[in-house]
Amino acid sequence: VPAAGRGRGIARALMAALETRVRAENIRFVRLETGDLLTPAVTLYLSLGYKKCGRFGDYADHPASVFMEKTL
């Protein structure tokens, strides 16, 4: 979310919609990748119960990547 849109609940609403859809599909967890300089995003994900984890999928190791997951 651009800086001008922050604090309005947009990202939180998007994540809630994503998790609702994931649960409806009987998927047990969500994984995401973000950047280490995207502090507002990392803070949001932590507040929503996401935990840092190791890389996954085809992602290459990169020092700026932050991988997170949440069990639903």
Side-chain angles (χ1 to χ4, degrees):
V1 176
R6 291 189 192 138
R8 297 172 46 194
I10 296 168
R12 193 170 291 275
L14 287 170
M15 292 304 293
L18 170 75
E19 291 180 11
T20 296
R21 177 64 186 259
V22 168
R23 284 185 181 96
E25 297 290 329
N26 294 317
I27 299 170
R28 298 179 157 236
F29 60 90
V30 175
R31 288 183 177 153
L32 59 88
E33 184 271 343
T34 190
D36 64 343
L37 298 180
L38 299 175
T39 305
V42 173
T43 300
L44 171 70
Y45 300 140
L46 290 170
S47 77
L48 294 173
Y50 287 78
K51 308 285 185 212
K52 291 182 180 180
C53 65
R55 70 178 178 88
F56 52 84
D58 293 333
Y59 283 99
D61 283 324
H62 192 283
S65 288
V66 177
F67 298 95
M68 305 180 87
E69 68 182 3
K70 179 178 178 180
T71 301
L72 301 177

